[in-house]
Amino acid sequence: MKRAVTAAAVALIAFPGFATAQAAATSMDAPVWGPRIRVTPFVGHAPAVSRTERWTFASGGQQSTARYDVDLASGWAGGASVEVQLVDALAFIGEGLFVTRGRTREESPDVGDRFEHEGSNFIMAKAALALRLREEVSELQLRTLTATVFAGPAWVREMPKDDDFSDPILLESQSYWGLNFGVNAALPIGWDGVALQGGVEDFFVWWNNDELAARNDALLGGATTSLVDTDPSHMWIFRVGLSFTMQ
């Protein structure tokens, strides 16, 4: 009986140290800066986007100006990203997504024109450098939250939806360049190699002014020479997905 009591006492004294050592070993087994590869399919929401177009029209020796306010409705997004660790906390992210938006409205406060059409679909892609952030590991926490901040160039392809009331010229696709930046956060959900990821990112887009002007001149049969000036726009994406990791 005394031997059993003594063995139990020794075990109780040794167990905390043993558990701590096991936890430390488990922590050491996991890569310090997270998995080597993360693949994340996601869905998201794209808020409405606005831009102001400042037009100059020249025709028959006459010149006129007008301003148009263009509102692109909100919509839904879906896509996938691949994040690859480069060195320590530095990583690369490649991403592609599809966004479908509701109706587009154009209005000119100068001449009183107002147009509305079916809106556009967008294909968007980015190639970004990322910096991984990590939370200090605590003995009391069950799961470790990780985050990634990123920035890099982006490409956007706008594809107007079919519209029986719009001239086919206005339904031609256009491409734009931009910058992408944002942040992702991931939380393990209990399955090995799987985490819940949420993120917010901004596609800061420069509109293709030359293409906008050329499209307008083509619409009017070449009777005008048009110039247009626009400011860049923020295309925000709020998204959530599941990350599948490979060590």
Side-chain angles (χ1 to χ4, degrees):
M1 182 66 178
K2 290 183 180 180
R3 291 180 181 178
V5 171
T6 302
V10 170
L12 288 174
I13 294 172
F15 180 77
F18 175 76
T20 302
Q22 286 294 98
T26 301
S27 176
M28 290 176 63
D29 290 341
V32 174
W33 292 108
R36 185 172 58 89
I37 299 176
R38 287 191 182 106
V39 178
T40 309
F42 60 83
V43 294
H45 176 69
V49 177
S50 297
R51 72 170 181 258
T52 298
E53 300 177 354
R54 295 171 290 273
W55 286 84
T56 301
F57 308 97
S59 177
Q62 301 293 321
Q63 183 171 294
S64 61
T65 60
R67 191 190 89 198
Y68 281 86
D69 297 322
V70 181
D71 297 318
L72 284 65
S74 61
W76 298 100
S81 67
V82 178
E83 179 181 330
V84 181
Q85 184 185 26
L86 299 178
V87 179
D88 294 333
L90 187 65
F92 168 83
I93 297 179
E95 178 180 294
L97 65 155
F98 177 83
V99 178
T100 181
R101 295 183 178 273
R103 296 182 69 82
T104 298
R105 296 176 176 84
E106 304 181 26
E107 184 174 6
S108 173
D110 298 328
V111 297
D113 289 343
R114 181 180 177 88
F115 307 97
E116 187 171 325
H117 47 89
E118 288 298 325
S120 298
N121 296 321
F122 292 82
I123 295 176
M124 310 169 75
K126 76 178 185 195
L129 285 178
L131 183 66
R132 291 180 174 181
L133 309 175
R134 59 177 181 169
E135 184 182 20
E136 290 296 330
V137 178
S138 167
E139 295 180 0
L140 300 179
Q141 71 189 93
L142 297 176
R143 296 180 175 86
T144 302
L145 179 68
T146 60
T148 305
V149 294
F150 52 84
W155 175 81
V156 177
R157 181 73 169 173
E158 181 179 4
M159 301 170 294
K161 298 178 182 178
D162 291 339
D163 191 332
D164 294 335
F165 299 99
S166 294
D167 190 287
I169 292 176
L170 299 177
L171 302 180
E172 296 177 357
S173 300
Q174 296 189 54
S175 296
Y176 318 112
W177 293 101
L179 294 176
N180 173 271
F181 48 88
V183 60
N184 297 324
L187 182 67
I189 57 176
W191 295 328
D192 187 32
V194 182
L196 178 67
Q197 185 187 91
V200 56
E201 57 185 318
D202 180 18
F203 286 83
F204 187 63
V205 177
W206 281 271
W207 304 101
N208 194 329
N209 294 334
D210 292 338
E211 286 296 325
L212 288 172
R215 187 175 66 177
N216 185 73
D217 292 337
L219 182 66
L220 297 176
T224 62
T225 300
S226 303
L227 296 174
V228 62
D229 177 56
T230 61
D231 295 324
S233 297
H234 295 273
M235 288 189 173
W236 292 95
I237 305 290
F238 298 89
R239 60 188 182 81
V240 61
L242 288 178
S243 287
F244 301 90
T245 64
M246 289 175 276
Q247 303 294 345

